[in-house]
Every structure is written in structure tokens, then in C-alpha cells.
């Protein structure tokens, strides 16, 4: 019997003696969950996000969309397996305050969504969020006719 090398990269590749039948659960993604929340919020009908990643950034995104009028119900999916969020689109509206924390996806994806809302939407975040470069997003929205007061 030979001893396995100490470093996993040096281990021999596993070999199957027959067909492999397996189910692998891939963990959720913060980026995909946030993008899916925005798309579902802008959809024409309610939809489900199955196995969303629950993180500070995704919870900030969900709460921001709720503040603008979108319904998001957290629970078990329609098939009874695993966590799922039901997203119920609604007319986006203010007044609302959005806490972006320090989530780049929230601070870049939601200003364009807020430009679709009736009424004022105020964005705030962690002190570090004020150091993030958002000039391109702000300039693009202004060029499209959005009224933005960014306090300079």
C-alpha cells in the first residue's frame, strides 16, 4: 500500500467503476440572487426565486424593493422543497428610503429602478458606500431625464 501525497492536488483522480447517479446542491449566489430579485420585481406577473442566497446584500436588495412597493414573501417554494422567495411586482413608488449598506449591486442596479418609481426615493448606506464610484450611473440617469440630487 502506498501513502497518499500530503497535498490534495497530487492525489490521483477518482475513478468510477460504473455509472454515477448523483444530485449536487449548488449554493446560491449573491450576484445572481440580486439580479433575479430586480428582474422579478420588474416582471409583469409574480414569480419565484428558488434557493436564493440569504446574505446581507440580498436582504438589503429585498428590503429596498419592498420599500418601493414590491411584495417579497419568504418561505418554502410551491413544490414544498427548499427556501423560495415569491416576488410580487407592483407599481414602484416613493417616498422611500433605500439602505444600500455597502452592496455594489444594490447601489448600481436600484437607481435605474428608482427612476421608474413615482415619488422620491432616497439612497443611503454605510460610510464606505460614499467612496464607491457611482458617477457613471448618475450621469447616465440624468442623460435619460431622471432628476437626481446627489448632494454634490
Amino acid at each position: 500500500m502506498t501513502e497518499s501525497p500530503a497535498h490534495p492536488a497530487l492525489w490521483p483522480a477518482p475513478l468510477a467503476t460504473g455509472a454515477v447517479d448523483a444530485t449536487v446542491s449548488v449554493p446560491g449566489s449573491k450576484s445572481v440572487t440580486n439580479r433575479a430579485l430586480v428582474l422579478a420585481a420588474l416582471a409583469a406577473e409574480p414569480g419565484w426565486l428558488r434557493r436564493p442566497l440569504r446574505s446581507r446584500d440580498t436582504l438589503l436588495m429585498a428590503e429596498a424593493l419592498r420599500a418601493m412597493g414590491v411584495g417579497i414573501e419568504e418561505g418554502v417554494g410551491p413544490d414544498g422543497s427548499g427556501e423560495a422567495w415569491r416576488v410580487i411586482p407592483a407599481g414602484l413608488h416613493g417616498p422611500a428610503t433605500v439602505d444600500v449598506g455597502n452592496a455594489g449591486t444594490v447601489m448600481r442596479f436600484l437607481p435605474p429602478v428608482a427612476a421608474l418609481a413615482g415619488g422620491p426615493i432616497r439612497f443611503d448606506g454605510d460610510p464606505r458606500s460614499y467612496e464607491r464610484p457611482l458617477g457613471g450611473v448618475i450621469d447616465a440617469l440624468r442623460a435619460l431625464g431622471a432628476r437626481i440630487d446627489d448632494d454634490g
Side-chain angles (χ1 to χ4, degrees):
M1 183 166 129
T2 62
E3 203 171 307
S4 294
H7 193 278
L10 302 175
W11 294 349
L15 297 174
T17 58
V20 175
D21 181 12
T23 300
V24 177
S25 295
V26 178
S29 160
K30 172 177 67 173
S31 181
V32 170
T33 298
N34 274 343
R35 285 165 169 78
L37 279 166
V38 169
L39 291 173
L42 298 174
E45 298 179 7
W48 289 92
L49 273 66
R50 291 188 174 91
R51 299 191 65 234
L53 178 71
R54 180 180 289 278
S55 69
R56 180 176 187 229
D57 287 10
T58 60
L59 294 174
L60 285 168
M61 180 69 83
E63 193 53 40
L65 291 167
R66 284 183 181 116
M68 288 190 273
V70 176
I72 300 176
E73 301 169 350
E74 301 176 38
V76 176
D79 61 1
S81 63
E83 182 176 9
W85 295 352
R86 185 166 189 240
V87 181
I88 305 158
L92 299 170
H93 61 82
T97 298
V98 170
D99 177 7
V100 301
N102 194 32
T105 309
V106 177
M107 62 181 83
R108 288 186 180 86
F109 282 37
L110 285 190
V113 172
L116 301 172
I121 309 293
R122 181 179 184 280
F123 288 84
D124 198 2
D126 296 351
R128 180 93 168 101
S129 71
Y130 287 89
E131 299 171 20
R132 305 283 292 261
L134 294 173
V137 172
I138 292 169
D139 291 345
L141 290 171
R142 282 185 175 139
L144 292 170
R147 293 181 323 167
I148 299 174
D149 176 5
D150 65 353
D151 291 331

